[in-house]
Amino acid sequence: MRYAIIADIHANLAAFQAVLEDIHGKGEVDEIWCLGDIIGYGPEPRQCIELVKKYCAVCIAGNHDLAAIGKMELAYFNPTAAEACRWTTGQLNPIDVHYLGNLPMKAEKGDFLLVHGSPADPALEYMISASIAEKNFAFFSQKYCLAGHSHIPAAFREEGKTCQPIHLTFGVGLVMHKQRMIVNPGSVGQPRDGDPRASYAIYDSEGLMLRLYRVEYNIGATQDKIMQAGLPVPLITRLEQGR
Ligand code: ZN
């Protein structure tokens, strides 16, 4: 079985469409799993929700999904994120609100636990260091955990009572047997690792191999739409910088 893993689309339709095309161009996948933050920051929230509904077998609730429907306080957001969130709220119809309100905080798929942030704090914690990842291995019983939220591809392997960060590189397969692992596939719609290309992963359960992919998309098209929507200017520049 082959599974595509996507996260942090952030209402960037051009990036999302490019990733879907890339996934389908790599052969049949059995399911697509989304780790949350369908919306927020970007200019096309409703279109992205529709595509997630159409293509994803499961989608976890992200902090931006929750905040846009009033299920999380904007106090957790910086001013730019809060402004974009208020704009997003104004775009959603009652069907979108109902859909987002029913997204799970965690889901189990085979050997994997799926969360947005971390097993300990599914909506808000960033697993960006080995020490944070290490603590989180005690918060799930499945063999592997998939998480998004940081917008930075990353992998951590449990080794005894400690945890080792593993370099997750574009195109290089990560073997998923033996030890427990936490993997972040990076962000579709707002990468923050210095590479502006959309990021996602495919897991092949036969070869036990997870592979990271980066996809070029029309960044200018999304930037134009952010401008037209009147969303904050820093959201335009950060897309081309991948920051
Ligand atoms: Zn996010």
Side-chain angles (χ1 to χ4, degrees), residues 94-144:
I95 298 165
D96 302 326
V97 172
H98 182 261
Y99 175 73
L100 295 171
N102 283 286
L103 295 177
M105 300 303 294
K106 295 179 179 182
E108 190 172 349
K109 281 280 184 184
D111 285 338
F112 293 86
L113 175 73
L114 279 55
V115 292
H116 179 64
S118 77
D121 186 350
L124 286 172
E125 188 173 43
Y126 292 92
M127 290 196 286
I128 46 172
S129 69
S131 61
I132 299 170
E134 189 180 308
K135 175 198 81 176
N136 270 282
F137 277 106
F139 286 84
F140 66 103
S141 56
Q142 293 81 356
K143 196 161 183 200
Y144 311 118

Side-chain angles (χ1 to χ4, degrees), residues 8 10 36-37 41 63-64 116 149-151 192:
D8 296 284
H10 284 293
D37 275 2
Y41 297 128
N63 52 321
H64 286 259
H116 179 64
H149 194 42
S150 70
H151 300 205
R192 293 181 189 162

